[in-house]
Amino acid sequence: MKLEPESMAEAITSGDRLILSRVLTLIENYDPIGIEVLSLLFQRTGRAHLVGITGAPGTGKSTIVNRIASYLRHVPQEGQLKPPEIAIIAVDPSSPFSGGALLGDRIRMRDLSGDPGIFIRSMASRGALGGLAHTTADVAAVLDAAGYDLIMIETVGAGQAEVEIASTAQTTIVIDAPGLGDDIQAIKAGLMEIADIMVVNKADRPGAKKTLKALRNALMLGHPSKPAKLNQASEDGQPEMWLPPVLSAVATRNEGIEEIVAAIQEHRRYLNHSGLNTVRERERRIAQVEYLLRERLAYEFHARHPAKHFDGVIEKVLAREFSPHQAVQSLMQDA
Ligand SMILES: Nc1nc2c(ncn2[C@@H]2O[C@H](COP(=O)(O)OP(=O)(O)OP(=O)(O)O)[C@@H](O)[C@H]2O)c(=O)[nH]1
Ligand SMILES: [Mg+2]
């Protein structure tokens, strides 16, 4: 059955998961119909809390996401009339580091799938890593409009693309685990900078205390200014600055999950109260629109110009007649 974008948008807002899945696929395939549905739904976005979960392969991200979701679905939270609806996006950038992760995710996530309040979506990149963060943001926007209160995005922290995906979220959790090697993985991968919350999972394993200590030290070094004021209440009871808490967990035994959930909620309050949410959203939107503009301009350029012309300019660069800068100048002159 072929549906118009308007009816698809409507179906999504009234909870039709089949149409939701279909539209997410359209979006992943850069189908203009999917983009149209997203645009129709966009006004309804802005309610959900987006949480990114990243870290080295095998640190326990899926297990933690799983446990957070079941915790929130089963343990009533203060001031909540009903359990939150939760969407999980498992992003597999198909990097050599995470080969096979997707299948594992599906298996381990299975115990959640009977719950109608949880929606799980696996996403794989089809080569275009640069666009994956943007597609993830679009997918999250549709889930937001669909009414999910919490959207968790799991990505393997193995490179710049993953860091980018994680930073599309409002709260970023970096998962580390002991025994991954001599160096602390999260520090090495440059993940500390994007962490709002750090978790040392597998605290049942040897070396967990050392990992915790190393992360806490590294974090303090990264916040040399005003350490006395960090996470300390100002007059109105809110922290002045956010020092990422370093928590420990044994996800497989459900230990530390409550504390992670509390930290997420506290970070959300901090974002709203400090105005940082607005600042970050503006930055994210600028980056998003700039990216789409660049894509669009390049697309339209190529659509209007014969490939032969472009190839000719490349030949000139290869013959050292043009520098790459001159090549662009020449292409733009003819545009
Ligand atoms: N000992 C121990 N094992 C754990 C803990 N948490 C997870 N594991 C195990 O570690 C393995 C990897 O867990 P996952 O949750 O799949 O890790 P992941 O980070 O999602 O893995 P990728 O997505 O492949 O990067 C599984 O066998 C888990 O059962 C923990 O706290 N302690
Ligand atoms: Mg995983």
Side-chain angles (χ1 to χ4, degrees):
M1 186 180 49
K2 193 140 171 49
L3 283 174
E4 293 302 314
E6 286 79 9
S7 4
M8 288 199 270
E10 222 174 277
I12 287 174
T13 55
S14 53
D16 188 326
R17 289 185 167 209
L18 204 67
I19 301 290
L20 174 61
S21 296
R22 247 208 260 170
V23 168
L24 296 183
T25 304
L26 291 174
I27 286 174
E28 282 188 78
N29 293 335
Y30 302 106
D31 189 311
I33 306 280
I35 306 298
E36 209 178 320
V37 177
L38 165 62
S39 296
L40 286 168
L41 289 170
F42 194 74
Q43 271 195 9
R44 288 176 162 270
T45 63
R47 277 191 46 250
H49 189 59
L50 265 67
V51 175
I53 290 106
T54 190
T59 44
K61 298 177 294 295
S62 299
T63 314
I64 287 179
V65 165
N66 222 305
R67 299 295 184 154
I68 291 176
S70 357
Y71 177 84
L72 285 171
R73 293 292 297 162
H74 296 113
V75 181
Q77 300 293 297
E78 217 185 289
Q80 262 173 7
L81 297 171
K82 58 180 182 61
E85 311 243 315
I86 299 170
I88 297 168
I89 309 173
V91 185
D92 184 1
S94 348
S95 72
F97 301 103
S98 60
L102 204 56
L103 186 63
D105 280 331
R106 285 202 183 119
I107 292 166
R108 281 191 289 278
M109 295 277 186
R110 204 186 283 154
D111 51 310
L112 290 176
S113 55
D115 183 341
I118 294 178
F119 181 86
I120 298 167
R121 178 81 186 182
S122 286
M123 270 180 65
S125 77
R126 302 191 178 94
L129 256 190
L132 187 57
H134 294 273
T135 310
T136 309
D138 284 349
V139 164
V142 172
L143 292 167
D144 183 352
Y148 290 96
D149 305 289
L150 172 67
I151 301 168
M152 291 191 274
I153 306 168
E154 178 194 338
T155 151
V156 177
Q160 188 52 41
E162 291 82 356
V163 169
E164 238 182 275
I165 295 164
S167 47
T168 59
Q170 289 151 337
T171 299
T172 303
I173 308 180
V174 172
I175 315 287
D176 206 341
L180 289 178
D182 293 337
D183 292 307
I184 307 293
Q185 295 291 320
I187 300 174
K188 220 168 55 182
L191 290 176
M192 301 278 294
E193 289 82 356
I194 58 160
D196 298 308
I197 298 164
M198 298 228 41
V199 177
V200 174
N201 188 41
K202 307 197 182 185
D204 54 329
R205 292 263 178 93
K209 279 216 176 83
K210 211 177 111 203
T211 307
L212 264 173
K213 209 173 145 201
L215 286 182
R216 287 194 175 127
N217 286 340
L219 271 175
M220 285 313 290
L221 284 178
H223 287 265
S225 60
K226 297 193 276 182
K229 276 181 120 179
L230 291 169
N231 278 16
Q232 272 189 11
S234 60
E235 296 104 75
D236 49 3
Q238 290 295 321
E240 300 258 305
M241 263 175 88
W242 182 263
L243 176 66
V246 185
L247 309 171
S248 84
V250 185
T252 38
R253 282 197 235 135
N254 231 353
E255 288 170 27
I257 301 303
E258 197 179 334
E259 288 77 7
I260 298 173
V261 169
I264 294 171
Q265 285 161 352
E266 199 183 325
H267 187 247
R268 187 180 197 178
R269 278 192 295 274
Y270 167 77
L271 284 176
N272 289 330
H273 183 271
S274 64
L276 190 60
N277 223 5
T278 320
V279 174
R280 280 192 179 176
E281 165 149 32
R282 174 173 291 271
E283 284 169 4
R284 277 196 297 269
R285 295 306 182 198
I286 290 173
Q288 216 178 355
V289 173
E290 285 273 5
Y291 170 84
L292 292 173
L293 184 63
R294 247 179 293 139
E295 288 277 289
R296 183 65 169 262
L297 286 174
Y299 176 83
E300 285 185 355
F301 178 88
H302 286 295
R304 266 188 283 121
H305 294 80
K308 226 171 42 200
H309 182 55
F310 186 84
D311 294 344
V313 172
I314 296 294
E315 287 309 322
K316 285 194 173 164
V317 176
L318 289 171
R320 302 289 189 274
E321 281 171 46
F322 275 176
S323 76
H325 299 274
Q326 288 168 317
V328 171
Q329 215 160 23
S330 156
L331 288 169
M332 292 311 292
Q333 257 160 24
D334 302 335

